[in-house]
Amino acid sequence: MNGTNFSVVEAGSFGGLLNATKDPIPGKYFLKDRLGLTGMEVSLNQLPAGGDIPFYHKHRENEELYLFIGGQGQFQVDGHIFDVKEGTAVRVAPEGERTLRNNGTGDLYFIVIQVQSGSLRQWVMTDGVIPDKPVNWPE
């Protein structure tokens, strides 16, 4: 569904990303084109038990934010290895060489948000505007 100021896509459950996605990487569901995003790339991800990203990668301009929402695994940045699980958030600068693996017994679920490093000029407290009107939820 799309409106003047919004787009909506139903990706289904995270547990179905390995089978449902038609994106080039199994278990990775990109949202940029599906939602018409203009300032970021976002992907929904499912990595099965024992799965890994079999290469390091970095970016020319974009930092990444990994938000882990289920399962457990390990993340590696520039040779530093640390555990990740539901509730872990990891920011990686463009130059950081990163990879991850699922060393848990179940699937690892995470969201990746990619945006140009240094591009945030304002945030919710300086960008947010609250219109002077009541909230209305039709019954």
Side-chain angles (χ1 to χ4, degrees):
M1 173 184 352
N2 294 312
T4 303
N5 296 311
F6 70 94
S7 302
V8 178
V9 66
E10 280 295 332
S13 73
F14 272 79
L17 290 175
L18 281 171
N19 300 320
T21 185
K22 292 182 171 63
D23 290 328
I25 302 167
K28 189 172 215 44
Y29 189 89
F30 289 102
L31 294 176
K32 180 186 166 299
D33 292 337
R34 289 178 168 101
L35 288 174
L37 299 173
T38 63
M40 66 184 126
E41 172 63 274
V42 179
S43 64
L44 310 177
N45 299 269
Q46 176 186 14
L47 190 61
D52 64 0
I53 306 301
F55 53 85
Y56 291 104
H57 84 280
K58 59 184 182 175
H59 289 274
R60 290 182 179 89
E61 297 184 32
N62 294 343
E63 69 181 357
E64 288 183 317
L65 173 62
Y66 291 76
L67 301 170
F68 292 89
I69 58 174
Q72 62 185 38
Q74 287 187 313
F75 205 99
Q76 187 178 149
V77 182
D78 298 334
H80 298 275
I81 300 170
F82 46 92
D83 294 330
V84 294
K85 63 182 182 189
E86 180 177 345
T88 303
V90 179
R91 183 202 65 91
V92 185
E95 301 81 12
E97 293 183 351
R98 68 211 76 173
T99 191
L100 68 112
R101 70 178 179 172
N102 180 347
N103 63 348
T105 57
D107 291 343
L108 180 62
Y109 301 106
F110 56 100
I111 299 168
V112 180
I113 302 168
Q114 189 180 132
V115 67
Q116 184 179 19
S117 183
S119 65
L120 184 63
R121 301 288 182 245
Q122 44 194 357
W123 57 291
V124 71
M125 296 304 285
T126 60
D127 186 56
V129 177
I130 300 173
D132 186 20
K133 66 186 223 183
V135 173
N136 180 22
W137 292 102
E139 296 301 321

